[in-house]
Amino acid sequence: MPTPVLAIHGGAGTLLRSTMSSELEQQYRAELQAILTAGERMLAAGASAMDVVCEAVRRLEECPLFNAGKGAVYTADERHELDASVMDGRTLAAGAVAGVSRIRNPVLAARAVMDQGAHLLFIGPAAETYVEKLGLEMVDPGWFGTPQRLAQLHRARAEAAGALLDHDGQARTPIDEGKKFGTVGAVALDAAGHLAAATSTGGMTNKLPGRVGDSPLIGAGCYASDESCAVSCTGTGEAFIRVAAAREVGALMEYAGQGLDEAARRVVFEKLGRVGGQGGLIAVSRDGEVSLPFNTEGMYRGMVRAGGQPVVGIYGEAQEATG
Amino acid sequence: MPTPVLAIHGGAGTLLRSTMSSELEQQYRAELQAILTAGERMLAAGASAMDVVCEAVRRLEECPLFNAGKGAVYTADERHELDASVMDGRTLAAGAVAGVSRIRNPVLAARAVMDQGAHLLFIGPAAETYVEKLGLEMVDPGWFGTPQRLAQLHRARAEAAGALLDHDGQARTPIDEGKKFGTVGAVALDAAGHLAAATSTGGMTNKLPGRVGDSPLIGAGCYASDESCAVSCTGTGEAFIRVAAAREVGALMEYAGQGLDEAARRVVFEKLGRVGGQGGLIAVSRDGEVSLPFNTEGMYRGMVRAGGQPVVGIYGEAQEATG
């Protein structure tokens, strides 16, 4: 039986060392390491892959650094619309919520929908009503906001209005372009040989209300099957939906005989490239292989094997951190 | 270049000759034939596959016999929540709406979202606001209802409460069990060799508000790629989502080298069977092959080739009608 393993991501995008303070960089690295360390303890103690990915994503949601749960980005009308999904590779069971604004941890709502088993995807206020009855913790919609995210929205609006131009009239690269692809996720293989995946997001800064990306869509932003792999995606959601990115990694393994890394890279660099998709994904195979490819400058990411030490990465050059 | 072809479906389920009047059966057959005839004229005149599938599904939505648009089933709270999606095999462009109640033709809303290109999937009232600005026709939410569908809801509720038992205490098979899987869809190959798919639904009778099935989800209930095939699904939506049913047909063709019919049957009889999925799908390949498999007693379906006559079918035994 392969060694249990956990991989996580905190979004992909234009993450350049030149635009991030070393203090902020250290905060990101420390947070990713802490979540991986906690996950390693769970895996080593025999926890299920599903429990481990839900706990990892719950912690990512609770951390205001990442665009999911607390610290989610703002929509164009200064609200939050959160999406999340989970999938259990053992049974292909899955659950998801989209367009929710009052559930503290959307990933736990997705898990509750899956565990309930009646349906798979609930949207909007009706999703909130459904999981509130199941005992999920609800919060005031304002709970998700942070001053940093509000400032991002205002900058995004100003850019959309053409206000932020360099002195020579050229459009300036947004400082937080990368946040547009903010999503968090986790994939794991447990001691029993089962795979699971979870994905959660606050969407895109300044997004139109009602827009839903790939994160809550099984097969697009989240997928797990014990027959192949578990996958969680982050990036320009529409492109990931069009190529069924998460399931495609598994399909290439199951039907084309490709290895995990070959399949994952083909989806990120070839399939997504064809439709202009930007971002990345994290994947773990049933044999315990890990692949963390991205076609952007950076992706907050990390992995840990049971009994091992976490390795984390942010920028593209930090290839040593990608396992 | 293969002859252009159109296939349509109007839902799958427990469609037994013994439970349907011959008058009603003739209504269904006549409606399917009329839609196919109109589609054949468009294809023969050189219309695009995307235009043809949208028009076919628009007509299915307008017909109160089918569970989409006018004649959509009722949710548990006596409302309508409609979902639809479209995908263009030429570019992999796609559009979808979910949980909408005021858009007269959800498939045209999905098309408008695709044509707009900013996003792919919009949900709830915000989706309505978005497409209303694009000029889509809006209706009062009561417009979709029919006395027959309301009676179905009341019967479904009574059954859920255990009121409808046979005299020997056995649960009676619901008369309109099949309506639970009601969905409509169309797939086409045009004279230029391009594929397209469209799917639209009113969901499940007595469904919980906010529940979304596979119909508006690209890769699950709708998929098209000129590299392989176009697919529209109908059935127990959750199962179709879990196996990424629509995309899976294409993946089996592209990566496992299977023919259209082999791939479509494998998804319906093997993949869906594993997760308890019931229903069927319609598929057309880039070579003009057509496959209309279903694992239920029946599926409203039909196909026509440019220059040819429509063939329609309802029951399983009518295999001669499946092309």
Side-chain angles (χ1 to χ4, degrees):
Chain A
M1 190 68 74
T3 305
V5 60
L6 166 68
I8 62 175
H9 72 79
T14 311
L15 307 171
L16 297 172
R17 187 159 262 152
S18 56
T19 60
M20 191 182 302
S21 73
S22 81
E23 185 188 353
L24 185 59
E25 178 182 327
Q26 284 315 310
Q27 285 179 27
Y28 274 109
R29 290 186 187 274
E31 192 67 36
L32 292 169
Q33 279 172 334
I35 292 167
L36 288 166
T37 299
E40 189 277 331
R41 277 195 295 265
M42 291 179 71
L43 283 172
S48 72
M50 177 54 69
D51 284 346
V52 171
V53 296
C54 285
E55 174 61 9
V57 170
R58 187 194 67 79
R59 284 171 174 256
L60 287 159
E61 287 177 343
E62 290 287 313
C63 175
L65 290 172
F66 302 103
N67 173 22
K70 180 76 178 175
V73 298
Y74 285 83
T75 63
D77 60 356
E78 294 200 15
R79 299 179 344 109
H80 297 93
E81 294 180 355
L82 311 173
D83 311 322
S85 61
V86 300
M87 188 165 189
D88 188 334
R90 189 170 53 89
T91 58
L92 300 183
V97 293
V100 296
S101 303
R102 297 195 303 121
I103 303 168
R104 176 163 175 160
N105 292 110
V107 70
L108 300 185
R111 172 72 183 270
V113 170
M114 181 187 81
D115 288 344
Q116 202 67 10
H119 294 304
L120 192 153
L121 169 61
F122 282 96
I123 63 172
E128 295 164 357
T129 304
Y130 183 76
V131 302
E132 185 168 17
K133 286 181 188 163
L134 298 176
L136 271 282
E137 182 177 349
M138 309 302 281
V139 292
D140 181 271
W143 186 83
F144 299 104
T146 66
Q148 291 81 1
R149 295 298 190 202
L150 196 56
Q152 276 181 359
L153 174 66
H154 295 156
R155 282 201 299 275
R157 278 185 187 155
E159 278 162 27
L164 279 185
L165 298 176
D166 273 354
H167 56 85
D168 58 357
Q170 297 292 306
R172 199 187 329 174
T173 303
I175 293 168
D176 47 6
E177 170 73 20
K179 297 307 178 296
K180 280 191 179 174
F181 309 157
T183 301
V184 307
V187 292
L189 172 72
D190 63 27
H194 298 306
L195 293 164
T199 305
S200 180
T201 191
M204 294 162 59
T205 296
N206 202 28
K207 73 175 176 185
L208 290 173
R211 176 264 182 185
V212 173
D214 64 318
S215 300
L217 304 189
I218 297 302
C222 179
Y223 178 76
S225 168
D226 281 3
E227 289 184 26
S228 50
C229 60
V231 179
S232 174
C233 300
T234 176
T236 47
E238 284 75 10
F240 285 72
I241 295 171
R242 291 163 67 189
V243 303
R247 167 58 193 157
E248 199 71 357
V249 178
L252 284 165
M253 294 178 71
E254 291 173 37
Y255 305 140
Q258 299 196 340
L260 179 82
D261 194 55
E262 186 184 9
R265 288 179 175 276
R266 184 165 167 194
V267 168
V268 168
F269 294 105
E270 184 182 318
K271 300 278 175 184
L272 283 171
R274 185 184 156 189
V275 294
Q278 294 180 274
L281 60 81
I282 58 173
V284 56
S285 75
R286 63 177 184 172
D287 298 322
E289 301 153 302
V290 173
S291 182
L292 314 170
F294 51 95
N295 64 19
T296 44
E297 282 83 353
M299 180 169 79
Y300 300 109
R301 65 200 183 277
M303 60 167 287
V304 65
R305 293 187 191 278
Q309 293 297 316
V311 282
V312 303
I314 297 179
Y315 311 114
E317 62 261 47
Q319 293 296 338
E320 76 277 10
T322 64
Chain B
M1 190 69 73
T3 305
V5 60
L6 166 67
I8 62 174
H9 72 80
T14 311
L15 307 171
L16 297 172
R17 188 159 261 153
S18 56
T19 61
M20 192 183 299
S21 73
S22 81
E23 185 189 352
L24 186 59
E25 178 182 326
Q26 285 314 310
Q27 285 180 27
Y28 274 109
R29 290 186 189 273
E31 192 67 37
L32 292 169
Q33 280 173 333
I35 292 167
L36 288 166
T37 299
E40 189 276 333
R41 276 196 295 267
M42 291 179 72
L43 284 172
S48 73
M50 176 54 68
D51 284 347
V52 172
V53 297
C54 285
E55 174 61 8
V57 170
R58 187 194 67 78
R59 284 169 173 257
L60 287 159
E61 287 177 342
E62 290 288 313
C63 175
L65 291 172
F66 302 103
N67 173 23
K70 179 76 176 173
V73 299
Y74 284 84
T75 63
D77 60 355
E78 294 200 15
R79 301 182 340 110
H80 298 94
E81 294 180 355
L82 311 172
D83 311 321
S85 61
V86 299
M87 188 164 188
D88 189 333
R90 190 171 52 88
T91 57
L92 301 182
V97 293
V100 298
S101 303
R102 298 196 303 121
I103 303 168
R104 175 165 176 159
N105 291 109
V107 70
L108 300 185
R111 171 74 183 268
V113 170
M114 181 188 81
D115 287 344
Q116 204 66 13
H119 294 304
L120 191 154
L121 169 61
F122 281 96
I123 63 173
E128 296 164 356
T129 304
Y130 183 76
V131 301
E132 187 169 15
K133 286 182 189 161
L134 298 176
L136 270 283
E137 182 178 348
M138 310 301 283
V139 291
D140 182 88
W143 186 83
F144 299 104
T146 66
Q148 291 82 0
R149 295 299 189 200
L150 196 56
Q152 276 181 358
L153 173 66
H154 295 154
R155 283 201 299 276
R157 277 185 187 154
E159 278 162 29
L164 279 185
L165 298 177
D166 274 352
H167 56 86
D168 61 355
Q170 296 292 306
R172 200 189 328 175
T173 303
I175 295 168
D176 47 9
E177 170 73 19
K179 299 305 178 299
K180 283 190 177 173
F181 309 158
T183 301
V184 307
V187 293
L189 172 71
D190 63 28
H194 298 306
L195 293 163
T199 306
S200 181
T201 190
M204 294 162 61
T205 295
N206 202 28
K207 74 177 177 183
L208 291 173
R211 176 262 184 189
V212 173
D214 63 317
S215 299
L217 305 188
I218 298 302
C222 180
Y223 177 76
S225 167
D226 280 3
E227 290 184 24
S228 50
C229 59
V231 180
S232 174
C233 301
T234 176
T236 47
E238 284 74 9
F240 284 71
I241 296 171
R242 291 163 67 187
V243 304
R247 167 59 192 155
E248 199 72 355
V249 178
L252 284 165
M253 294 178 69
E254 291 173 36
Y255 305 140
Q258 299 195 341
L260 178 82
D261 194 55
E262 185 184 9
R265 288 179 175 275
R266 183 165 168 193
V267 169
V268 168
F269 293 105
E270 184 182 317
K271 300 278 174 187
L272 283 170
R274 184 184 158 190
V275 294
Q278 293 180 272
L281 60 82
I282 58 173
V284 56
S285 74
R286 63 178 184 171
D287 297 322
E289 301 153 302
V290 173
S291 181
L292 315 169
F294 51 96
N295 63 20
T296 44
E297 284 82 353
M299 180 169 79
Y300 300 109
R301 65 201 183 277
M303 60 166 286
V304 66
R305 292 186 191 279
Q309 293 298 315
V311 283
V312 304
I314 298 179
Y315 312 114
E317 62 261 48
Q319 293 295 339
E320 76 275 12
T322 63

